[in-house]
Amino acid sequence: MKSQPTELHPLVQEYLHELHVLRQLSPHTLKAYRTDLMELQLFAADDSVELLKVSNAHVRRWAGRWHAKGKSSRTIARGLSAWRGWYDWITEKAARRDAQTGRARVKLSANPVDDVKAPKRLKSLPKALSVEQALALVNQVVQEAEEKKDLESIRDAAIVDLLYSSGLRLSELLGIDVMQSKDRQHESAGWLDWDAAEVTVLGKGGKRRSVPVGSPAMKSLQAWRGLRDSAEYAQQSSALFISATGARLSPRTVQARLRTLAMRAGLPTHVHPHMMRHSFASHVLQSSQDLRAVQEMLGHASIASTQIYTSLDFQHLAQAYDKAHPRAKAGKG
């Protein structure tokens, strides 16, 4: 059995001391560096190779071992960064010092960690509501608006209905004006075409797109517009969605309102505006299977950004399989 190092290499200790004194890294960061560099020593000892004779092939092999042990891409990337920094320090700092004394203690032709990257991080799937959850939320909000008939409730219903109907980003939603402005100095970022039941918004990269609005959402929007236009303070604002003072709504207000409304609807998760966008995309894709149409409605520049929703669709099918297929049920018995 190979003996394992229990203490840090003197050059590693010197490096950590410099990070502490000169760069004044936090104790937490220094601890992470210490852990990662000790891992380097352990790998080197296990393969019977000196730290200053480690090759690019060694580093690739050790990164692979980390991956095989289930280390996350982020953890591996952090470790490789620590190793790379240490070898850079040896080359740039220690070698320079040795040159000044005339004694070449360190011989390192190239950084062995160069060009070694951690495995690609698996892209996390966006969180979306189920169809049942989305409908429960929208129905709850619309019902409250019909019962209370106050400005906030009717406005909330229009916002939630439009988010789910058209898959807008929060910034796009808040940029909508009641009507398109013809004034070049005050050009509208977005607007509603009330006759065509279509909303035009300014998306990422300054690209405009028009998205259809469903009839239930148009009904909620018409109810909100009627109440909005009757308020005196609304005459000074072109914004579709305004506060009780007539100011265009802020992102934080919409986020807080949606969170509260979701809790009232009994949803077991934190709901935010972008989740409504994800839900829209996933549910339309489940029904239509038209990836290009969903791409256009979301305003994605690349189809690859839209394809992630096919994974959500597969998850939906997998859940349906687990619930309904006889073989899936048998496997759980």
Side-chain angles (χ1 to χ4, degrees):
M1 183 177 178
K2 298 184 181 72
S3 60
Q4 296 292 325
T6 57
E7 294 186 0
L8 290 171
H9 189 283
L11 285 175
V12 173
Q13 292 182 17
E14 188 177 340
Y15 175 61
L16 291 174
H17 178 73
E18 185 170 308
L19 293 180
H20 172 61
V21 175
L22 298 183
R23 292 178 54 183
Q24 297 184 338
L25 297 187
S26 69
H28 176 76
T29 302
L30 286 171
K31 182 179 179 181
Y33 270 94
R34 180 182 295 275
T35 300
D36 293 332
L37 290 169
M38 176 55 82
E39 285 270 19
L40 173 64
Q41 286 188 221
L42 293 172
F43 279 132
D46 198 44
D47 281 6
S48 302
V49 58
E50 296 179 20
L51 280 180
L52 300 182
K53 293 183 179 180
V54 168
S55 68
N56 187 267
H58 287 124
V59 174
R60 292 182 184 278
R61 186 187 312 145
W62 299 339
R65 287 182 191 170
W66 257 342
H67 186 58
K69 289 180 179 179
K71 298 284 187 182
S72 69
S73 295
R74 180 176 296 179
T75 299
I76 297 173
R78 188 199 71 187
L80 291 174
S81 177
W83 297 359
R84 189 179 296 109
W86 182 67
Y87 280 113
D88 278 342
W89 174 81
I90 289 175
T91 303
E92 298 172 6
K93 303 292 184 181
R96 187 183 304 159
R97 182 197 60 194
D98 293 339
Q100 291 174 350
T101 62
R103 293 180 300 167
R105 286 173 51 205
V106 178
K107 293 181 180 179
L108 198 66
S109 59
N111 191 324
V113 193
D114 283 349
D115 301 324
V116 181
K117 297 180 180 179
K120 284 187 178 180
R121 226 180 275 176
L122 291 176
K123 194 169 184 180
S124 58
L125 294 178
K127 293 183 179 180
L129 299 172
S130 67
V131 173
E132 294 76 17
Q133 288 174 328
L135 291 177
L137 173 59
V138 174
N139 292 338
Q140 171 76 16
V141 175
V142 170
Q143 184 179 342
E144 283 190 14
E146 292 174 348
E147 292 174 354
K148 295 182 178 179
K149 294 182 171 59
D150 64 306
L151 183 146
E152 188 175 61
S153 299
I154 294 176
R155 185 196 65 202
D156 288 346
I159 288 174
V160 174
D161 236 342
L162 182 56
L163 283 173
Y164 184 50
S165 172
S166 302
L168 304 183
R169 299 180 178 93
L170 180 56
S171 60
E172 295 169 348
L173 177 95
L174 296 179
I176 299 172
D177 287 346
V178 178
M179 302 291 290
Q180 181 181 8
S181 172
K182 304 295 183 180
D183 187 348
R184 290 187 177 182
Q185 292 184 339
H186 302 90
E187 186 179 2
S188 299
W191 60 87
L192 262 165
D193 186 328
W194 298 89
D195 295 327
E198 191 174 80
V199 60
T200 298
V201 294
L202 188 65
K204 286 186 176 180
K207 295 181 179 178
R208 290 197 186 280
R209 73 180 189 281
S210 295
V211 187
V213 181
S215 55
M218 283 302 300
K219 182 179 178 182
S220 294
L221 287 163
Q222 292 283 8
W224 161 243
R225 184 183 180 185
L227 187 60
R228 177 203 178 283
D229 290 352
S230 65
E232 291 184 8
Y233 55 77
Q235 308 308 316
Q236 305 302 318
S237 176
S238 61
L240 175 61
F241 296 114
I242 56 176
S243 67
T245 61
R248 191 181 293 266
L249 277 188
S250 69
R252 186 167 295 181
T253 297
V254 176
Q255 291 164 346
R257 291 298 303 153
L258 187 56
R259 182 168 58 249
T260 299
L261 293 167
M263 291 174 62
R264 282 189 206 160
L267 298 191
T269 184
H270 166 58
V271 178
H272 50 82
H274 220 64
M275 185 180 286
M276 300 301 292
R277 176 174 163 86
H278 294 323
S279 303
F280 159 84
S282 178
H283 300 166
V284 171
L285 190 59
Q286 287 174 20
S287 301
S288 68
Q289 300 298 313
D290 191 336
L291 197 62
R292 287 289 178 187
V294 174
Q295 178 193 2
E296 289 181 16
M297 287 188 283
L298 292 175
H300 286 160
S302 168
I303 193 71
S305 300
T306 316
Q307 283 174 330
I308 193 169
Y309 294 104
T310 62
S311 299
L312 290 175
D313 188 35
F314 180 79
Q315 285 186 339
H316 168 77
L317 293 174
Q319 290 170 358
Y321 176 90
D322 286 341
K323 290 180 180 178
H325 198 282
R327 292 288 293 171
K329 289 182 178 179
K332 293 179 181 179

